[in-house]
Amino acid sequence: MDEIVLIEPQKKYADDIWEFRQEIIKYDAENKDQFAGCLSLDVSKSAEEWIKICKLRKCKKTCGEVGTTVPSHTYLAVRRRDDRVVGVIDLRHHINHPILGTWGGHCGYSVRPSERGKGYAKEMLRLNMQNAKSMGIEKLLITCDVKNEASEKSILANGGIYEKTIDVDGGKIKRYWITV
């Protein structure tokens, strides 16, 4: 796996963000969680609009303007070798919310379909644990669909401890805790 870094969305990556979006729409059309960690990218009219939404989501004072009560940071996973966006991951500042505390968890992530199977999700989660630690978050709740073996492997590789499986809207979600 090539080295990646997590950086906040910025205009420099607008074209690549939009290509990432199009690739997910094309290859993950049947996946209801296709934009995990990419809140609003599916409904944004442009990458620039999405970048603005990501900035507003970072602050408790402005996150309500974009439809959420829980502030969060969104990061692009950028491969150093060619400066390409290979994934997106978010980090919610807390999970004191009925959905997040039950099945949403502290972060969601998506890897570009053409870049899957290369270990990027595992590394994205590892790097995001460092972000959580710097924010003072001591434990992360990370969840995945019971059928999402790739996500489960990434969680386990980062020290995820299985808590339980829960029913959510007719589906099954596994809950894991990671100590940062």
Side-chain angles (χ1 to χ4, degrees), residues 7-30:
I7 60 170
E8 292 188 34
Q10 50 193 269
K11 190 173 180 171
K12 169 185 176 183
Y13 294 100
D15 290 344
D16 206 13
I17 291 167
W18 210 246
E19 289 169 11
F20 171 90
R21 177 187 183 274
Q22 296 308 111
E23 198 171 317
I24 287 185
I25 288 170
K26 179 178 179 181
Y27 291 98
D28 290 342
E30 302 300 314

PDB file of all heavy atoms in Angstrom, residues 7-30:
ATOM      1  N   ILE A   7      -6.197  14.815   5.063  1.00  0.00           N
ATOM      2  CA  ILE A   7      -6.228  16.277   5.034  1.00  0.00           C
ATOM      3  C   ILE A   7      -7.675  16.739   4.903  1.00  0.00           C
ATOM      4  O   ILE A   7      -8.522  16.009   4.385  1.00  0.00           O
ATOM      5  CB  ILE A   7      -5.386  16.853   3.874  1.00  0.00           C
ATOM      6  CG1 ILE A   7      -5.911  16.357   2.525  1.00  0.00           C
ATOM      7  CG2 ILE A   7      -3.913  16.509   4.028  1.00  0.00           C
ATOM      8  CD1 ILE A   7      -5.291  17.081   1.353  1.00  0.00           C
ATOM      9  N   GLU A   8      -7.947  17.927   5.377  1.00  0.00           N
ATOM     10  CA  GLU A   8      -9.294  18.458   5.254  1.00  0.00           C
ATOM     11  C   GLU A   8      -9.580  18.798   3.790  1.00  0.00           C
ATOM     12  O   GLU A   8      -8.677  19.185   3.048  1.00  0.00           O
ATOM     13  CB  GLU A   8      -9.465  19.670   6.161  1.00  0.00           C
ATOM     14  CG  GLU A   8      -9.422  19.276   7.627  1.00  0.00           C
ATOM     15  CD  GLU A   8      -9.777  20.403   8.560  1.00  0.00           C
ATOM     16  OE1 GLU A   8     -10.624  21.242   8.198  1.00  0.00           O
ATOM     17  OE2 GLU A   8      -9.217  20.426   9.672  1.00  0.00           O
ATOM     18  N   PRO A   9     -10.834  18.628   3.361  1.00  0.00           N
ATOM     19  CA  PRO A   9     -11.196  18.938   1.975  1.00  0.00           C
ATOM     20  C   PRO A   9     -10.822  20.371   1.608  1.00  0.00           C
ATOM     21  O   PRO A   9     -11.012  21.285   2.401  1.00  0.00           O
ATOM     22  CB  PRO A   9     -12.711  18.737   1.944  1.00  0.00           C
ATOM     23  CG  PRO A   9     -12.982  17.774   3.051  1.00  0.00           C
ATOM     24  CD  PRO A   9     -11.983  18.126   4.120  1.00  0.00           C
ATOM     25  N   GLN A  10     -10.279  20.530   0.418  1.00  0.00           N
ATOM     26  CA  GLN A  10      -9.896  21.847  -0.073  1.00  0.00           C
ATOM     27  C   GLN A  10     -10.067  21.913  -1.585  1.00  0.00           C
ATOM     28  O   GLN A  10     -10.082  20.894  -2.269  1.00  0.00           O
ATOM     29  CB  GLN A  10      -8.465  22.184   0.341  1.00  0.00           C
ATOM     30  CG  GLN A  10      -7.462  21.105   0.018  1.00  0.00           C
ATOM     31  CD  GLN A  10      -6.134  21.324   0.701  1.00  0.00           C
ATOM     32  OE1 GLN A  10      -5.278  21.962   0.106  1.00  0.00           O
ATOM     33  NE2 GLN A  10      -5.953  20.812   1.907  1.00  0.00           N
ATOM     34  N   LYS A  11     -10.192  23.133  -2.071  1.00  0.00           N
ATOM     35  CA  LYS A  11     -10.499  23.379  -3.478  1.00  0.00           C
ATOM     36  C   LYS A  11      -9.498  22.716  -4.423  1.00  0.00           C
ATOM     37  O   LYS A  11      -9.863  22.272  -5.504  1.00  0.00           O
ATOM     38  CB  LYS A  11     -10.561  24.879  -3.733  1.00  0.00           C
ATOM     39  CG  LYS A  11     -11.099  25.214  -5.095  1.00  0.00           C
ATOM     40  CD  LYS A  11     -11.321  26.687  -5.269  1.00  0.00           C
ATOM     41  CE  LYS A  11     -11.867  26.904  -6.669  1.00  0.00           C
ATOM     42  NZ  LYS A  11     -12.316  28.242  -6.897  1.00  0.00           N
ATOM     43  N   LYS A  12      -8.259  22.608  -4.013  1.00  0.00           N
ATOM     44  CA  LYS A  12      -7.218  21.966  -4.826  1.00  0.00           C
ATOM     45  C   LYS A  12      -7.657  20.574  -5.307  1.00  0.00           C
ATOM     46  O   LYS A  12      -7.274  20.136  -6.380  1.00  0.00           O
ATOM     47  CB  LYS A  12      -5.938  21.869  -3.995  1.00  0.00           C
ATOM     48  CG  LYS A  12      -4.863  21.021  -4.576  1.00  0.00           C
ATOM     49  CD  LYS A  12      -3.679  20.894  -3.622  1.00  0.00           C
ATOM     50  CE  LYS A  12      -2.643  19.949  -4.183  1.00  0.00           C
ATOM     51  NZ  LYS A  12      -1.518  19.748  -3.283  1.00  0.00           N
ATOM     52  N   TYR A  13      -8.474  19.908  -4.506  1.00  0.00           N
ATOM     53  CA  TYR A  13      -8.895  18.542  -4.820  1.00  0.00           C
ATOM     54  C   TYR A  13     -10.311  18.464  -5.395  1.00  0.00           C
ATOM     55  O   TYR A  13     -10.881  17.377  -5.498  1.00  0.00           O
ATOM     56  CB  TYR A  13      -8.793  17.666  -3.568  1.00  0.00           C
ATOM     57  CG  TYR A  13      -7.366  17.487  -3.111  1.00  0.00           C
ATOM     58  CD1 TYR A  13      -6.853  18.231  -2.057  1.00  0.00           C
ATOM     59  CD2 TYR A  13      -6.524  16.587  -3.759  1.00  0.00           C
ATOM     60  CE1 TYR A  13      -5.546  18.085  -1.646  1.00  0.00           C
ATOM     61  CE2 TYR A  13      -5.210  16.434  -3.355  1.00  0.00           C
ATOM     62  CZ  TYR A  13      -4.727  17.187  -2.302  1.00  0.00           C
ATOM     63  OH  TYR A  13      -3.424  17.045  -1.907  1.00  0.00           O
ATOM     64  N   ALA A  14     -10.887  19.586  -5.763  1.00  0.00           N
ATOM     65  CA  ALA A  14     -12.286  19.609  -6.208  1.00  0.00           C
ATOM     66  C   ALA A  14     -12.562  18.624  -7.345  1.00  0.00           C
ATOM     67  O   ALA A  14     -13.533  17.856  -7.287  1.00  0.00           O
ATOM     68  CB  ALA A  14     -12.695  21.025  -6.612  1.00  0.00           C
ATOM     69  N   ASP A  15     -11.747  18.623  -8.379  1.00  0.00           N
ATOM     70  CA  ASP A  15     -11.984  17.711  -9.506  1.00  0.00           C
ATOM     71  C   ASP A  15     -11.892  16.253  -9.068  1.00  0.00           C
ATOM     72  O   ASP A  15     -12.712  15.418  -9.461  1.00  0.00           O
ATOM     73  CB  ASP A  15     -10.996  17.979 -10.647  1.00  0.00           C
ATOM     74  CG  ASP A  15     -11.260  19.297 -11.352  1.00  0.00           C
ATOM     75  OD1 ASP A  15     -12.361  19.868 -11.190  1.00  0.00           O
ATOM     76  OD2 ASP A  15     -10.344  19.768 -12.070  1.00  0.00           O
ATOM     77  N   ASP A  16     -10.896  15.950  -8.244  1.00  0.00           N
ATOM     78  CA  ASP A  16     -10.695  14.580  -7.778  1.00  0.00           C
ATOM     79  C   ASP A  16     -11.831  14.145  -6.849  1.00  0.00           C
ATOM     80  O   ASP A  16     -12.282  13.001  -6.900  1.00  0.00           O
ATOM     81  CB  ASP A  16      -9.347  14.468  -7.073  1.00  0.00           C
ATOM     82  CG  ASP A  16      -8.775  13.060  -7.119  1.00  0.00           C
ATOM     83  OD1 ASP A  16      -9.285  12.221  -7.886  1.00  0.00           O
ATOM     84  OD2 ASP A  16      -7.814  12.810  -6.369  1.00  0.00           O
ATOM     85  N   ILE A  17     -12.326  15.064  -6.023  1.00  0.00           N
ATOM     86  CA  ILE A  17     -13.469  14.766  -5.149  1.00  0.00           C
ATOM     87  C   ILE A  17     -14.680  14.413  -6.003  1.00  0.00           C
ATOM     88  O   ILE A  17     -15.398  13.452  -5.729  1.00  0.00           O
ATOM     89  CB  ILE A  17     -13.792  15.968  -4.232  1.00  0.00           C
ATOM     90  CG1 ILE A  17     -12.683  16.161  -3.187  1.00  0.00           C
ATOM     91  CG2 ILE A  17     -15.162  15.805  -3.561  1.00  0.00           C
ATOM     92  CD1 ILE A  17     -12.749  17.501  -2.456  1.00  0.00           C
ATOM     93  N   TRP A  18     -14.899  15.171  -7.065  1.00  0.00           N
ATOM     94  CA  TRP A  18     -16.059  14.931  -7.920  1.00  0.00           C
ATOM     95  C   TRP A  18     -15.919  13.608  -8.672  1.00  0.00           C
ATOM     96  O   TRP A  18     -16.895  12.870  -8.846  1.00  0.00           O
ATOM     97  CB  TRP A  18     -16.272  16.108  -8.863  1.00  0.00           C
ATOM     98  CG  TRP A  18     -17.724  16.254  -9.200  1.00  0.00           C
ATOM     99  CD1 TRP A  18     -18.310  16.079 -10.415  1.00  0.00           C
ATOM    100  CD2 TRP A  18     -18.788  16.584  -8.295  1.00  0.00           C
ATOM    101  NE1 TRP A  18     -19.665  16.283 -10.324  1.00  0.00           N
ATOM    102  CE2 TRP A  18     -19.986  16.593  -9.021  1.00  0.00           C
ATOM    103  CE3 TRP A  18     -18.838  16.871  -6.931  1.00  0.00           C
ATOM    104  CZ2 TRP A  18     -21.217  16.875  -8.454  1.00  0.00           C
ATOM    105  CZ3 TRP A  18     -20.064  17.152  -6.365  1.00  0.00           C
ATOM    106  CH2 TRP A  18     -21.230  17.150  -7.130  1.00  0.00           C
ATOM    107  N   GLU A  19     -14.719  13.274  -9.104  1.00  0.00           N
ATOM    108  CA  GLU A  19     -14.486  11.978  -9.751  1.00  0.00           C
ATOM    109  C   GLU A  19     -14.714  10.834  -8.762  1.00  0.00           C
ATOM    110  O   GLU A  19     -15.279   9.798  -9.120  1.00  0.00           O
ATOM    111  CB  GLU A  19     -13.072  11.920 -10.319  1.00  0.00           C
ATOM    112  CG  GLU A  19     -12.879  12.812 -11.529  1.00  0.00           C
ATOM    113  CD  GLU A  19     -11.414  12.960 -11.939  1.00  0.00           C
ATOM    114  OE1 GLU A  19     -10.556  12.211 -11.419  1.00  0.00           O
ATOM    115  OE2 GLU A  19     -11.129  13.841 -12.768  1.00  0.00           O
ATOM    116  N   PHE A  20     -14.267  11.023  -7.518  1.00  0.00           N
ATOM    117  CA  PHE A  20     -14.496  10.054  -6.441  1.00  0.00           C
ATOM    118  C   PHE A  20     -16.001   9.827  -6.285  1.00  0.00           C
ATOM    119  O   PHE A  20     -16.479   8.696  -6.227  1.00  0.00           O
ATOM    120  CB  PHE A  20     -13.878  10.607  -5.144  1.00  0.00           C
ATOM    121  CG  PHE A  20     -14.202   9.836  -3.896  1.00  0.00           C
ATOM    122  CD1 PHE A  20     -13.387   8.797  -3.479  1.00  0.00           C
ATOM    123  CD2 PHE A  20     -15.300  10.172  -3.118  1.00  0.00           C
ATOM    124  CE1 PHE A  20     -13.672   8.101  -2.315  1.00  0.00           C
ATOM    125  CE2 PHE A  20     -15.597   9.487  -1.957  1.00  0.00           C
ATOM    126  CZ  PHE A  20     -14.777   8.445  -1.551  1.00  0.00           C
ATOM    127  N   ARG A  21     -16.757  10.929  -6.235  1.00  0.00           N
ATOM    128  CA  ARG A  21     -18.221  10.875  -6.098  1.00  0.00           C
ATOM    129  C   ARG A  21     -18.837  10.079  -7.250  1.00  0.00           C
ATOM    130  O   ARG A  21     -19.678   9.206  -7.044  1.00  0.00           O
ATOM    131  CB  ARG A  21     -18.791  12.291  -6.077  1.00  0.00           C
ATOM    132  CG  ARG A  21     -20.305  12.367  -6.008  1.00  0.00           C
ATOM    133  CD  ARG A  21     -20.760  13.825  -6.164  1.00  0.00           C
ATOM    134  NE  ARG A  21     -22.183  13.992  -6.044  1.00  0.00           N
ATOM    135  CZ  ARG A  21     -23.047  13.848  -7.044  1.00  0.00           C
ATOM    136  NH1 ARG A  21     -22.623  13.554  -8.269  1.00  0.00           N
ATOM    137  NH2 ARG A  21     -24.339  14.013  -6.840  1.00  0.00           N
ATOM    138  N   GLN A  22     -18.443  10.394  -8.461  1.00  0.00           N
ATOM    139  CA  GLN A  22     -19.003   9.723  -9.638  1.00  0.00           C
ATOM    140  C   GLN A  22     -18.686   8.231  -9.623  1.00  0.00           C
ATOM    141  O   GLN A  22     -19.522   7.409 -10.002  1.00  0.00           O
ATOM    142  CB  GLN A  22     -18.489  10.373 -10.929  1.00  0.00           C
ATOM    143  CG  GLN A  22     -18.921  11.827 -11.103  1.00  0.00           C
ATOM    144  CD  GLN A  22     -20.418  12.033 -10.943  1.00  0.00           C
ATOM    145  OE1 GLN A  22     -20.874  12.632  -9.975  1.00  0.00           O
ATOM    146  NE2 GLN A  22     -21.194  11.518 -11.861  1.00  0.00           N
ATOM    147  N   GLU A  23     -17.499   7.887  -9.195  1.00  0.00           N
ATOM    148  CA  GLU A  23     -17.104   6.484  -9.144  1.00  0.00           C
ATOM    149  C   GLU A  23     -17.958   5.723  -8.128  1.00  0.00           C
ATOM    150  O   GLU A  23     -18.402   4.606  -8.396  1.00  0.00           O
ATOM    151  CB  GLU A  23     -15.615   6.390  -8.770  1.00  0.00           C
ATOM    152  CG  GLU A  23     -15.006   5.062  -9.102  1.00  0.00           C
ATOM    153  CD  GLU A  23     -13.494   5.039  -8.932  1.00  0.00           C
ATOM    154  OE1 GLU A  23     -12.812   6.001  -9.346  1.00  0.00           O
ATOM    155  OE2 GLU A  23     -13.014   4.034  -8.380  1.00  0.00           O
ATOM    156  N   ILE A  24     -18.209   6.330  -6.985  1.00  0.00           N
ATOM    157  CA  ILE A  24     -19.051   5.683  -5.978  1.00  0.00           C
ATOM    158  C   ILE A  24     -20.482   5.524  -6.506  1.00  0.00           C
ATOM    159  O   ILE A  24     -21.097   4.471  -6.349  1.00  0.00           O
ATOM    160  CB  ILE A  24     -19.020   6.458  -4.645  1.00  0.00           C
ATOM    161  CG1 ILE A  24     -17.676   6.216  -3.982  1.00  0.00           C
ATOM    162  CG2 ILE A  24     -20.164   6.041  -3.735  1.00  0.00           C
ATOM    163  CD1 ILE A  24     -17.518   6.798  -2.621  1.00  0.00           C
ATOM    164  N   ILE A  25     -21.019   6.554  -7.137  1.00  0.00           N
ATOM    165  CA  ILE A  25     -22.374   6.468  -7.691  1.00  0.00           C
ATOM    166  C   ILE A  25     -22.457   5.327  -8.708  1.00  0.00           C
ATOM    167  O   ILE A  25     -23.408   4.544  -8.707  1.00  0.00           O
ATOM    168  CB  ILE A  25     -22.796   7.813  -8.322  1.00  0.00           C
ATOM    169  CG1 ILE A  25     -23.060   8.846  -7.211  1.00  0.00           C
ATOM    170  CG2 ILE A  25     -24.022   7.642  -9.218  1.00  0.00           C
ATOM    171  CD1 ILE A  25     -23.255  10.258  -7.707  1.00  0.00           C
ATOM    172  N   LYS A  26     -21.450   5.201  -9.537  1.00  0.00           N
ATOM    173  CA  LYS A  26     -21.450   4.172 -10.583  1.00  0.00           C
ATOM    174  C   LYS A  26     -21.306   2.753 -10.008  1.00  0.00           C
ATOM    175  O   LYS A  26     -22.058   1.855 -10.360  1.00  0.00           O
ATOM    176  CB  LYS A  26     -20.321   4.445 -11.577  1.00  0.00           C
ATOM    177  CG  LYS A  26     -20.232   3.428 -12.689  1.00  0.00           C
ATOM    178  CD  LYS A  26     -19.125   3.766 -13.670  1.00  0.00           C
ATOM    179  CE  LYS A  26     -19.034   2.713 -14.762  1.00  0.00           C
ATOM    180  NZ  LYS A  26     -17.947   3.004 -15.700  1.00  0.00           N
ATOM    181  N   TYR A  27     -20.340   2.561  -9.121  1.00  0.00           N
ATOM    182  CA  TYR A  27     -20.016   1.213  -8.667  1.00  0.00           C
ATOM    183  C   TYR A  27     -20.779   0.761  -7.426  1.00  0.00           C
ATOM    184  O   TYR A  27     -20.854  -0.423  -7.158  1.00  0.00           O
ATOM    185  CB  TYR A  27     -18.512   1.083  -8.422  1.00  0.00           C
ATOM    186  CG  TYR A  27     -17.727   1.127  -9.698  1.00  0.00           C
ATOM    187  CD1 TYR A  27     -17.125   2.302 -10.118  1.00  0.00           C
ATOM    188  CD2 TYR A  27     -17.615   0.002 -10.513  1.00  0.00           C
ATOM    189  CE1 TYR A  27     -16.412   2.354 -11.311  1.00  0.00           C
ATOM    190  CE2 TYR A  27     -16.920   0.044 -11.697  1.00  0.00           C
ATOM    191  CZ  TYR A  27     -16.320   1.226 -12.092  1.00  0.00           C
ATOM    192  OH  TYR A  27     -15.632   1.272 -13.272  1.00  0.00           O
ATOM    193  N   ASP A  28     -21.307   1.696  -6.645  1.00  0.00           N
ATOM    194  CA  ASP A  28     -21.989   1.331  -5.406  1.00  0.00           C
ATOM    195  C   ASP A  28     -23.470   1.680  -5.426  1.00  0.00           C
ATOM    196  O   ASP A  28     -24.068   1.946  -4.392  1.00  0.00           O
ATOM    197  CB  ASP A  28     -21.329   2.048  -4.215  1.00  0.00           C
ATOM    198  CG  ASP A  28     -19.946   1.525  -3.911  1.00  0.00           C
ATOM    199  OD1 ASP A  28     -19.612   0.417  -4.358  1.00  0.00           O
ATOM    200  OD2 ASP A  28     -19.193   2.231  -3.216  1.00  0.00           O
ATOM    201  N   ALA A  29     -24.077   1.671  -6.582  1.00  0.00           N
ATOM    202  CA  ALA A  29     -25.475   2.088  -6.723  1.00  0.00           C
ATOM    203  C   ALA A  29     -26.422   1.303  -5.813  1.00  0.00           C
ATOM    204  O   ALA A  29     -27.414   1.847  -5.343  1.00  0.00           O
ATOM    205  CB  ALA A  29     -25.911   1.955  -8.178  1.00  0.00           C
ATOM    206  N   GLU A  30     -26.123   0.059  -5.532  1.00  0.00           N
ATOM    207  CA  GLU A  30     -27.008  -0.786  -4.722  1.00  0.00           C
ATOM    208  C   GLU A  30     -26.721  -0.694  -3.223  1.00  0.00           C
ATOM    209  O   GLU A  30     -27.436  -1.271  -2.419  1.00  0.00           O
ATOM    210  CB  GLU A  30     -26.876  -2.246  -5.166  1.00  0.00           C
ATOM    211  CG  GLU A  30     -27.190  -2.484  -6.636  1.00  0.00           C
ATOM    212  CD  GLU A  30     -28.608  -2.076  -7.009  1.00  0.00           C
ATOM    213  OE1 GLU A  30     -29.542  -2.425  -6.254  1.00  0.00           O
ATOM    214  OE2 GLU A  30     -28.780  -1.398  -8.034  1.00  0.00           O
TER     215      GLU A  30
END
